[in-house]
Amino acid sequence: MLFITNIFVALFAYMIDKRFGEFTFIKHPVILMGDLITFFEKKLYSDSILRGFFLVLCVLGVIGFVSYVLEIYLAHFNFYIHFIIDAVIASIFIAHRMLKDSVKEIIFLETIEEKREAVSMLVSRDTKDLSESDIYKAAIETYAENLSDGVIAPLFYLIVFGLPGIIIYKAINTMDSMIGYKNERYEKFGKVAARLDDIANFIPARITALLIVLLYQKKFDLSYLKTAKLHESPNAGYPISAMAQVLDLQLGGDTSYFGKIKKKPFFGDGKSTISKTDLKQMLSLSF
């Protein structure tokens, strides 16, 4: 019964996000999570895997406790009120409307400089020298990858574990986005956070890829698996390869980060020159 209820809460939360997007009149809980992570980082930071493990433990302990206390409190309300509040809170942790609007904005910008600026807000790669085709490619790749992190994974954990599940997932995802980097400061300290995020996204990334194929191609076609495993991330290659397959594109390839070219594999066997039409097609067929 609880599982069925969670499914309907997830559907309602998804519809709320699709209709209203971000609630700009409140401070987003992810910002509060970021503040908490920063607090523990200042207290615990050392070039050590163990210290990073303690940060993960502290952050998840605090957020897990708060989320379960919140759910216990909400359980005292009438079933329908509880249902609605759960859905509204859960919708805050789903980022589909914001993701789609951010990518769609690129279509309507006139100059390449404006498009580079817009896509720079969505990706970590260098954007100042991107061609128009590269801009559209970056937008499609980030949309596909974030469908998993920002939409399917939160909904998956909401369905399986209820409201605490989606909140704890976002905490894991936020830790990875803040300290899960392979650089001098976080190579060791952020390793546990990064690995935990990989584990948390393992199933949702594969569900996302399958949904992309089923919803776009309307048939069971696993051709994307040929290139999905080539990505350095154990998860990101799946939705990106699936999107490349259904749009008949070649995504990926060498990319510049912080002034250095990073060798990356290609995903998909389609055309390498990507147009505005391809971006429009993706958005027209989106979830």
Side-chain angles (χ1 to χ4, degrees), residues 8-254:
F8 281 101
V9 169
L11 288 171
F12 194 32
Y14 175 79
M15 288 189 291
I16 292 172
D17 174 71
K18 190 170 185 177
R19 175 64 180 84
F20 298 104
E22 297 290 309
F23 296 147
T24 56
F25 53 87
I26 63 170
K27 188 171 185 178
H28 202 289
V30 170
I31 296 176
L32 299 177
M33 290 178 181
D35 292 340
L36 183 67
I37 294 165
T38 299
F39 170 79
F40 282 117
E41 181 180 352
K42 289 178 179 177
K43 298 292 184 183
L44 295 171
Y45 179 79
S46 176
D47 189 23
S48 160
I49 293 175
L50 184 60
R51 287 295 189 94
F53 170 75
F54 285 139
L55 178 141
V56 170
L57 207 60
C58 290
V59 170
L60 293 186
V62 171
I63 292 176
F65 175 76
V66 170
S67 63
Y68 275 100
V69 167
L70 173 63
E71 186 64 358
I72 290 170
Y73 172 73
L74 292 177
H76 290 90
F77 287 88
N78 171 279
F79 172 81
Y80 297 104
I81 295 175
H82 183 191
F83 177 92
I84 292 170
I85 294 174
D86 268 8
V88 171
I89 293 174
S91 73
I92 298 172
F93 296 97
I94 302 169
H96 189 221
R97 173 68 180 270
M98 180 181 69
L99 173 64
K100 187 173 182 179
D101 286 350
S102 298
V103 173
K104 186 186 292 186
E105 178 189 3
I106 296 169
I107 294 173
F108 300 103
L109 296 175
E110 296 293 334
T111 68
I112 193 167
E113 288 78 15
E114 290 175 324
K115 292 178 181 181
R116 286 170 180 161
E117 176 65 24
V119 82
S120 72
M121 306 301 292
L122 301 173
V123 299
S124 57
R125 70 191 69 185
D126 297 332
T127 60
K128 63 183 180 69
D129 295 320
L130 290 183
S131 67
E132 195 159 3
S133 174
D134 288 335
I135 290 170
Y136 297 137
K137 178 170 71 172
I140 290 172
E141 287 178 5
T142 195
Y143 184 85
E145 186 174 352
N146 280 286
L147 271 179
S148 177
D149 293 357
V151 184
I152 303 304
L155 289 172
F156 174 81
Y157 285 102
L158 175 61
I159 290 171
V160 176
F161 298 110
L163 187 62
I166 193 173
I167 295 173
I168 292 170
Y169 168 76
K170 289 306 290 187
I172 292 170
N173 194 237
T174 304
M175 282 190 289
D176 178 64
S177 68
M178 291 181 66
I179 66 171
Y181 296 103
K182 292 181 180 180
N183 57 25
E184 186 175 349
R185 178 175 176 82
Y186 293 122
E187 176 70 30
K188 292 182 179 179
F189 187 71
K191 187 175 288 292
V192 174
R195 293 294 174 269
L196 184 58
D197 185 72
D198 287 342
I199 294 169
N201 283 295
F202 186 88
I203 295 175
R206 285 150 181 81
I207 292 174
T208 304
L210 190 57
L211 285 173
I212 288 171
V213 171
L214 292 177
L215 293 175
Y216 283 54
Q217 288 191 320
K218 295 181 171 52
K219 63 180 180 179
F220 190 75
D221 182 353
L222 301 181
S223 302
Y224 64 87
L225 292 175
K226 291 185 296 183
T227 58
K229 297 178 182 179
L230 298 176
H231 202 289
E232 65 175 356
S233 162
N235 302 314
Y238 286 83
I240 292 173
S241 290
M243 192 65 78
Q245 174 183 308
V246 301
L247 296 177
D248 193 25
L249 301 175
Q250 184 182 74
L251 302 176
D254 295 350

